[in-house]
Amino acid sequence: MLAFRPLARPFRIVSDFDGVWTEPARERERVLETLEIELASLSGEGAETVAADCREFTGAVMARPWDFGWLIGGRLSSYLDEDAFALPSALGQFLEGDAHPKADVYRSAILDEQATVGEFLDHCYHSTGIRFRAEVPHDLAAGAEQVLAWLQDAKVEVVFVTNAPTVKVVDWFAHHGFEVVDAAESQPGAAPLRVHGRAGKQWLGDSGATVDFGGRDLQADRPQYRSILEAESPDFVVGDVPSLDLALPISMRMKGE
């Protein structure tokens, strides 16, 4: 039987950011646009040809989402159909797998300029994110500011734990007048709104521990994320990506931790 501790402090929620408080579709499309532009530049293929090839590649990986996603050390840290931002990474895995007549064309073009296909995809993702945040004041979901205001009125602490950069969370909520404090510069309970940016929820430990979620094994050994959960000791964890956000806290809950 689990023993529930009395609350000696305000109710605390640990929440993901992208996909929970935001609408990530537009930013993801911008990443894919960058990918197509870069592939066209590297390969010499026309823009329309590259776009058509990428649509075909996308259809192929989306048909088998359990085989593609965010690959970390040979293990899928999250699956393609969970994570809005996993598609570029999945397309890189597809190109590396030589599963299409055009894969070699693009892979060879990438490796002429980059050490690995993965580094090329990281470049596309991060460079697009920087440009997107410079151009877009915020992409918060409709009503996000009302929900956050309600939580603040109810004296609930919200700790954002996200792989997004800290500045993204701080700046986007500042657009609506909220002050979010960098958790690296504060202690648990120091402010009602705090953020652990670049939280490393994707990084996996060596145990290989998994948890069954709807018939799919999710990686549950995530040491960087665990250290944050242990420090924050939340009452609830909220997320949209079962693998990245929820597998570890589900596993901890099942073990009575």
Side-chain angles (χ1 to χ4, degrees):
M1 181 175 180
L2 294 179
F4 294 95
R5 57 175 170 71
L7 290 178
R9 53 155 177 79
F11 201 83
R12 181 175 298 154
I13 294 174
V14 156
S15 175
D16 185 43
F17 181 63
D18 280 313
V20 175
W21 296 90
T22 74
E23 298 283 6
R26 185 163 56 147
E27 187 172 359
R28 186 187 77 162
E29 289 305 311
R30 293 281 282 274
V31 175
L32 294 176
E33 288 174 10
T34 299
L35 174 62
E36 292 180 9
I37 291 169
E38 295 275 0
L39 285 177
S41 175
L42 292 174
S43 68
E45 299 278 352
E48 291 185 3
T49 298
V50 173
D53 287 339
C54 284
R55 285 195 296 271
E56 189 172 346
F57 300 159
T58 297
V61 296
M62 290 299 293
R64 299 188 338 224
W66 51 85
D67 288 333
F68 298 95
W70 201 345
L71 196 65
I72 304 288
R75 288 178 286 170
L76 284 173
S77 183
S78 66
Y79 294 94
L80 175 57
D81 54 357
E82 297 180 282
D83 189 351
F85 292 120
L87 181 55
S89 178
L91 292 177
Q93 293 157 38
F94 184 82
L95 293 178
E96 288 184 307
D98 199 19
H100 188 278
K102 292 292 289 289
D104 185 59
V105 173
Y106 293 115
R107 183 176 61 251
S108 296
I110 292 168
L111 295 179
D112 283 342
E113 299 291 334
Q114 298 276 355
T116 67
V117 175
E119 287 184 17
F120 167 71
L121 269 300
D122 284 345
H123 157 71
C124 291
Y125 178 78
H126 291 298
S127 63
T128 304
I130 291 169
R131 289 194 302 272
F132 186 81
R133 293 190 296 275
E135 298 167 7
V136 177
H138 75 86
D139 228 7
L140 294 173
E145 74 280 6
Q146 298 173 35
V147 174
L148 195 56
W150 176 77
L151 289 169
Q152 287 206 292
D153 288 344
K155 308 302 181 186
V156 174
E157 292 181 15
V158 181
V159 184
F160 303 99
V161 180
T162 173
N163 286 337
T166 294
V167 67
K168 182 178 184 180
V169 182
V170 171
D171 287 353
W172 283 14
F173 277 121
H175 182 82
H176 286 295
F178 295 99
E179 181 181 2
V180 182
V181 175
D182 185 347
E185 300 174 357
S186 62
Q187 296 296 319
L193 301 175
R194 298 165 54 251
V195 55
H196 293 267
R198 297 291 189 217
K201 290 193 283 186
Q202 78 276 26
W203 300 119
L204 304 175
D206 296 329
S207 74
T210 62
V211 62
D212 180 276
F213 191 92
R216 181 181 285 179
D217 286 335
L218 308 184
Q219 298 292 332
D221 186 358
R222 300 171 186 267
Q224 286 188 226
Y225 187 23
R226 184 184 184 99
S227 67
I228 294 172
L229 290 175
E230 290 176 341
E232 296 291 351
S233 188
D235 302 290
F236 271 90
V237 178
V238 180
D240 66 315
V241 179
S243 287
L244 296 176
D245 303 329
L246 304 176
L248 172 59
I250 287 171
S251 175
M252 294 173 72
R253 170 69 69 152
M254 291 170 63
K255 295 174 182 177
E257 299 174 340

